[in-house]
Amino acid sequence: IFLFTDGIVEVLSESYEVYGPNRLLECFKKNTKNNISSTIGNIISDIEQFQGKIPSTDDRTLIGIQL
């Protein structure tokens, strides 16, 4: 189970492109074989790399539950 706030998908890049749900889903799919901690860490890294030096304007919450 994977839950997130809108602050995850609304992250802007330096060119003002939105991270978006499709990019989040693709990153999640690339990490399906990892444990939930690694998956969340990889998603956070992907978001930070995408964002670059643009400051955050919203909170970000990711919750993962591995069954």
Side-chain angles (χ1 to χ4, degrees), residues 3-12 18-21 24 47 57-62:
L3 306 168
F4 57 93
T5 61
D6 64 339
I8 296 295
V9 294
E10 293 175 354
V11 170
L12 293 176
V18 176
Y19 189 77
L24 177 61
I47 289 168
T57 59
D58 198 355
D59 65 292
R60 296 183 200 163
T61 303
L62 290 171

Side-chain angles (χ1 to χ4, degrees), residues 21-55:
N22 292 335
R23 193 180 308 260
L24 177 61
L25 181 59
E26 286 305 312
C27 189
F28 182 76
K29 286 180 181 179
K30 290 178 187 175
N31 287 278
T32 57
K33 301 220 185 262
N34 294 335
N35 65 45
I36 199 69
S37 294
S38 294
T39 299
I40 288 175
N42 290 338
I43 291 170
I44 290 170
S45 293
D46 190 60
I47 289 168
E48 289 173 346
Q49 183 178 21
F50 175 84
Q51 183 177 14
K53 295 180 181 180
I54 295 290

